[in-house]
Amino acid sequence: MKKHLITISDLSKNEIIEIFKQGKVFKDILQRPIKKIPTLRGKTVGLLFFEPSTRTKLSFELAAKRMSADTINFSASTSSLKKNESIKDTIMTLEAMKIDIYVVRHPSPGVPAMITKIIKGSVINAGDGAHAHPTQGILDAYTVWEKFGDVKGLHIAILGDVKYSRVIRSDIEIFLKLGAHLTLCTAKTLMPNWIDPKVKYTTNIEKAVKDADVIMGLRMQKERQDSAIIPDEIEFNTFFGIKNIKIANKKNNYIVMHPGPINRGIEIDGDIADSKHSVINEQVTNGLATRMAIFYALFQG
Amino acid sequence: MKTFKDGLVFLNGKFVKKDFAIDNNGKITFKISKGVKAEDLKGKKVIPSLFDLHTHTRCPGQEYKEDFDHITKAASHGGFSEICAMPNTKPVADNEAIIDYIVLEAEKFPRCKIYPFGSMTVNLEGKKLSRMGLMKQSGAIGVTDDGMCIQNTSTMVKAMQYASTHDLFIMDHAEDINLSSQGQVNEGETSYKMGYGGIPEIAETTVILRDIELSRYLEIPIHITHVSTKRSAELILKAKADGVQVTFDITPHHLSFTEKDCLGFNTDFKVNPPLRNEKDRKFLVDLVKRGKVDAIATDHAPHAEFEKEFAFNNAPFGISSLDTAFVLLYNTLTIKAKIPLEKWIEFISSKPRNLLKLPQKELKEGVMANFFIFDSEKKWKINADDIFSKGKNNPLIGKILNGKIINTYFRGKKVY
């Protein structure tokens, strides 16, 4: 594996499968009474979250601790972010403390990539604006791989806010790499101007979910939207939300995914999120296991 | 008297081998007495100095980005004898006092001539008209709300009519801010892959269409600066064919780079209008080849290093391009696109001077010596020290280019 994980393109198909296999081993370990392994003993993981995050930060922190690493936290207030020079200064200060792995989330795309140029250790991108969220892509693809045994040839329908989503960019990249068929379904105002030509797009949800093995919802990024994108949440939910009535006639063994946190009644209805098809909570466990596998892969070189 | 021998002198559109001298009054003469000591140019090119229609000189008010000392050094280093100062200074050049200041301060650095532009509206706010007449009396050569394109069409009508009352050259930076304000790079594959908002082509073309219609209706000439897309250029060419008095310029960076250069998050490629795609770039180069452009202008936009550091979206737009504009054009147009130097040099010298009705700089007997010496054979690596502008936000730093400006003479004196 490369020294840094900034986007899915940093990983080959084989490396992804290796992470999955290792992730499965760690997932089993997580079921044991003693869940700690010594792999990262003596290493320091810096968790640099320049933007609020709950589940990703907890997941990385716990993954590092389960592997016996020391962790330090840096959370910047929004106001100090406005002075760009402070990012570099912050990193240089931490660098002087001999950090081995930087886990970085930042609202500006490209910042984790820029950090790789000024530090000695490794950088894992924990989400940079709408650019990439590779570890979310890995855990999503792992969840599908584990459920179906293989990702190749599966039909995946993705609904919700595509334009402002970093998750979708990493998901599209990893699912295409593993040979899945992707269909996006959302309002045209929530679609980017360009999308990989291998990905299908429809405005008709019935069409999108008809052959789907996986139905994935994306969070409406309310905080990133400017005005006049959708009329309101009720209208959005009616046409593009994951609802029982819309997915009633489909095959029986499909799964429903969502990177969380979910907006019940907007991109996904509560009864679907809680149904037997839903793997939303399992995704969280898988996130922990795959992040441990990523740390492991980084230290294996 | 300083004599030069064996140079290729640009005369009447051609390079010819000719010896010449600068006399004691700083004027060109071809009457050389035999046997005098002469500088051997060994076939290097001698070219009348260049003209830049679009330079952000930043002063007064933003001397931390650029000052008259550095900008005049950068201009002479880049082969320019005249540059046009944009009015987005602090305070804005929207009144005669600021224009007076620029004219007087710039004269303290006699390496090139600075022609100031005034703003069309007070504080570039697009509301109240600036004192365009008084600014002209103080030396303003044209008006523009560059960078802050007037959004209200009714205000634009009045600004054009009033500028025309004083026979001022009108230049517009065509941008619909409502369409572009969320964007950092060209809208499309690059904005998607970088995860940044895109600046769509229509942010430029819709305003160009507006300007064309205003120019046609009001019968007032308008110049569109830094045209960046194929579609924009096509709209202007069509309007020209219809008899509308619209002209336009292109920047060296839109001729040389594309949006793909931004993918590594290098903020030195972040410009407004953004670098577009290869189809646009090729079309613009082809326009130069066909002689269809009115000017090439640098849009030199220096920024301090800390401003261009790190987060792409926090970095201001602009490339510090004056030092290297000519050399970059030589690489893009002559070496890569095989357009001879003598075919495109006019777009960055005589053509923009004509647009502003200014006298030409020529290598003629008895005229003031304003020229530069260009070694087209020299290959060199550009270092940060080679950028004389205060702004080091130049993506060519570290790159190897063909051709180097060796010396520049302004009003008979060697200034670089």
Side-chain angles (χ1 to χ4, degrees):
Chain A
M1 190 180 165
K2 283 188 189 169
K3 195 177 167 193
H4 309 288
L5 177 58
I6 305 300
T7 69
I8 293 296
S9 59
D10 292 323
L11 297 167
S12 70
K13 197 175 153 183
N14 284 340
E15 285 168 334
I16 293 168
I17 299 297
E18 280 310 307
I19 289 171
F20 288 174
K21 286 179 181 163
Q22 193 59 44
K24 192 144 179 60
V25 173
F26 288 135
K27 195 174 174 183
D28 292 340
I29 290 172
L30 291 173
Q31 314 301 323
R32 295 179 193 166
I34 293 168
K35 301 177 178 66
K36 209 162 174 139
I37 53 165
T39 318
L40 296 188
R41 196 161 55 201
K43 301 287 180 190
T44 309
V45 174
L47 299 156
L48 278 63
F49 280 69
F50 293 89
E51 184 183 73
S53 158
T54 312
R55 58 191 66 211
T56 304
K57 186 160 178 278
L58 284 176
S59 182
F60 268 112
E61 186 165 4
L62 195 55
K65 285 182 167 155
R66 289 275 180 260
M67 299 177 85
S68 308
D70 296 314
T71 58
I72 58 163
N73 278 283
F74 175 87
S75 302
S77 69
T78 320
S79 59
S80 71
L81 283 180
K82 290 198 172 117
K83 302 169 191 160
N84 327 344
E85 71 272 27
S86 73
I87 304 171
K88 193 175 178 183
D89 289 342
T90 303
I91 303 299
M92 296 320 289
T93 306
L94 289 165
E95 187 64 2
M97 297 179 191
K98 313 295 175 201
I99 305 293
D100 298 296
I101 302 182
Y102 292 83
V103 175
V104 182
R105 168 166 291 188
H106 197 281
S108 297
V111 167
M114 298 301 278
I115 291 174
T116 64
K117 295 179 183 170
I118 56 168
I119 56 125
K120 288 198 192 81
S122 292
V123 174
I124 300 175
N125 182 3
D128 57 338
H131 175 228
H133 193 358
T135 61
Q136 181 72 43
I138 289 166
L139 83 87
D140 287 345
Y142 173 85
T143 304
V144 175
W145 175 83
E146 194 191 37
K147 283 284 163 196
F148 293 91
D150 196 358
V151 178
K152 200 174 174 193
L154 293 178
H155 289 269
I156 300 172
I158 305 177
L159 293 93
D161 183 350
V162 176
K163 191 170 187 171
Y164 298 88
S165 170
R166 55 177 158 236
V167 175
I168 190 73
R169 283 157 168 87
S170 291
D171 275 354
I172 288 177
E173 220 180 331
I174 195 164
F175 282 124
L176 287 180
K177 212 166 204 167
L178 298 175
H181 305 290
L182 294 177
T183 304
L184 305 181
C185 175
T186 194
K188 287 183 182 175
T189 46
L190 288 165
M191 277 295 284
N193 174 273
W194 183 92
I195 199 88
D196 192 302
K198 290 190 278 296
V199 177
K200 284 189 199 139
Y201 168 64
T202 174
T203 51
N204 181 320
I205 184 168
E206 282 92 343
K207 234 184 194 170
V209 302
K210 196 168 150 268
D211 299 312
D213 302 290
V214 178
I215 302 172
M216 192 190 294
L218 293 172
R219 201 163 84 88
M220 277 294 288
Q221 304 276 351
K222 279 185 263 187
E223 69 272 21
R224 287 202 198 119
Q225 280 171 38
D226 33 45
S227 56
I229 294 226
I230 51 165
D232 60 24
E233 289 160 356
I234 291 171
E235 166 124 352
F236 181 79
N237 178 260
T238 307
F239 293 99
F240 303 107
I242 304 177
K243 310 176 76 65
N244 243 330
I245 191 167
K246 299 277 187 184
I247 61 175
N249 297 324
K250 51 171 302 38
K251 47 180 148 181
N252 209 28
N253 62 337
Y254 67 95
I255 59 169
V256 174
M257 296 172 65
H258 192 295
I262 62 174
N263 295 307
R264 284 170 188 261
I266 302 176
E267 73 269 359
I268 186 164
D269 281 7
D271 55 345
I272 305 263
D274 300 330
S275 75
K276 65 179 168 118
H277 295 287
S278 169
V279 294
I280 294 171
N281 289 325
E282 205 171 332
Q283 283 175 268
V284 179
T285 312
N286 293 344
L288 183 55
T290 51
R291 286 183 177 112
M292 289 172 75
I294 291 161
F295 281 138
Y296 185 82
L298 277 179
F299 277 91
Q300 295 297 301
Chain B
M1 187 101 153
K2 181 166 172 55
T3 310
F4 300 86
K5 67 169 187 178
D6 284 341
L8 286 170
V9 182
F10 192 67
L11 286 171
N12 303 319
K14 275 190 221 114
F15 285 101
V16 288
K17 200 162 185 181
K18 215 166 166 72
D19 298 343
F20 69 101
I22 301 172
D23 71 15
N24 294 337
N25 298 318
K27 290 179 175 164
I28 300 277
T29 178
F30 293 104
K31 293 170 201 146
I32 299 159
S33 31
K34 281 192 178 146
V36 293
K37 216 178 101 193
E39 184 176 333
D40 189 354
L41 295 178
K42 295 175 183 165
K44 292 187 189 81
K45 295 183 168 69
V46 181
I47 303 172
S49 292
L50 307 174
F51 185 95
D52 189 28
L53 193 54
H54 192 146
T55 318
H56 291 277
T57 49
R58 304 293 187 212
C59 16
Q62 292 183 308
E63 284 78 3
Y64 73 98
K65 290 178 192 263
E66 189 74 284
D67 55 34
F68 287 120
D69 183 24
H70 284 82
I71 192 77
T72 52
K73 276 180 184 155
S76 54
H77 181 220
F80 293 90
S81 55
E82 302 126 284
I83 58 176
C84 295
M86 291 299 106
N88 61 338
T89 48
K90 280 189 177 171
V92 169
D94 60 10
N95 64 73
E96 68 283 7
I98 305 292
I99 301 293
D100 283 340
Y101 171 85
I102 294 170
V103 170
L104 290 171
E105 280 299 304
E107 281 299 324
K108 293 180 186 166
F109 303 92
R111 302 183 186 107
C112 76
K113 165 94 181 157
I114 294 182
Y115 288 110
F117 268 62
S119 73
M120 298 179 87
T121 64
V122 171
N123 206 27
L124 297 169
E125 283 172 359
K127 290 175 186 157
K128 204 169 169 288
L129 298 184
S130 303
R131 286 182 188 163
M132 296 187 230
L134 288 171
M135 286 197 287
K136 187 181 180 186
Q137 279 188 355
S138 290
I141 191 122
V143 284
T144 181
D145 271 13
D146 181 61
M148 296 292 284
C149 176
I150 297 173
Q151 301 293 295
N152 184 315
T153 305
S154 168
T155 307
M156 187 64 178
V157 167
K158 288 163 204 150
M160 285 173 70
Q161 285 175 323
Y162 192 73
S164 169
T165 305
H166 293 287
D167 197 24
L168 279 157
F169 179 80
I170 302 167
M171 181 158 91
D172 197 25
H173 158 132
E175 179 182 4
D176 183 320
I177 290 163
N178 285 308
L179 286 173
S180 64
S181 64
Q182 302 294 316
Q184 304 291 329
V185 288
N186 188 33
E187 182 171 78
E189 188 175 345
T190 298
S191 62
Y192 172 83
K193 285 186 172 164
M194 291 176 74
Y196 277 119
I199 300 174
E201 176 185 82
I202 50 173
E204 182 169 311
T205 54
T206 53
V207 177
I208 288 177
L209 277 171
R210 175 198 76 169
D211 287 353
I212 287 169
E213 277 301 274
L214 298 188
S215 172
R216 179 192 63 80
Y217 185 77
L218 301 170
E219 296 180 1
I220 295 171
I222 192 161
H223 180 85
I224 313 291
T225 191
H226 51 50
V227 161
S228 71
T229 80
K230 176 174 185 271
R231 178 73 183 154
S232 301
E234 283 172 343
L235 291 169
I236 294 169
L237 292 176
K238 191 172 175 299
K240 278 174 174 245
D242 291 344
V244 182
Q245 300 174 79
V246 55
T247 52
F248 71 108
D249 66 68
I250 307 173
T251 72
H253 46 268
H254 288 104
L255 289 166
S256 308
F257 309 130
T258 69
E259 55 176 342
K260 289 214 160 40
D261 290 308
C262 300
L263 283 171
F265 297 100
N266 181 349
T267 57
D268 289 345
F269 286 108
K270 181 180 170 182
V271 281
N272 187 22
L275 298 171
R276 306 288 187 177
N277 59 43
E278 180 62 10
K279 178 197 77 192
D280 293 308
R281 191 196 71 82
K282 269 193 160 153
F283 186 83
L284 297 179
V285 169
D286 194 52
L287 283 184
V288 175
K289 191 178 252 171
R290 287 155 51 206
K292 295 282 190 187
V293 306
D294 297 293
I296 296 172
T298 69
D299 194 6
H300 171 77
H303 292 291
E305 207 166 343
F306 73 87
E307 295 176 297
K308 277 282 198 181
E309 210 169 72
F310 260 83
F312 198 87
N313 56 320
N314 292 338
F317 292 96
I319 294 176
S320 173
S321 54
L322 207 53
D323 284 273
T324 53
F326 176 80
V327 175
L328 178 61
L329 287 169
Y330 183 73
N331 283 263
T332 301
L333 299 175
T334 299
I335 292 185
K336 290 202 190 103
K338 309 285 176 214
I339 310 169
L341 178 54
E342 45 272 55
K343 292 276 177 211
W344 59 263
I345 191 93
E346 59 178 350
F347 298 121
I348 196 154
S349 54
S350 58
K351 291 249 177 179
R353 283 191 193 103
N354 284 341
L355 287 175
L356 290 168
K357 299 175 183 135
L358 289 166
Q360 288 301 337
K361 300 277 186 274
E362 286 167 296
L363 290 158
K364 275 206 293 212
E365 183 73 32
V367 305
M368 199 50 98
N370 290 291
F371 65 87
F372 65 97
I373 298 165
F374 179 58
D375 182 353
S376 58
E377 304 302 314
K378 192 171 172 79
K379 252 190 169 175
W380 61 301
K381 186 180 168 187
I382 298 181
N383 296 309
D385 291 346
D386 296 314
I387 306 301
F388 291 8
S389 161
K390 216 167 181 179
K392 307 295 179 193
N393 51 309
N394 185 323
L396 295 175
I397 292 173
K399 298 269 166 15
I400 291 166
L401 290 186
N402 292 285
K404 194 175 195 303
I405 292 172
I406 305 298
N407 291 124
T408 301
Y409 288 82
F410 178 66
R411 293 175 187 161
K413 289 201 180 89
K414 185 152 107 179
V415 286
Y416 163 66

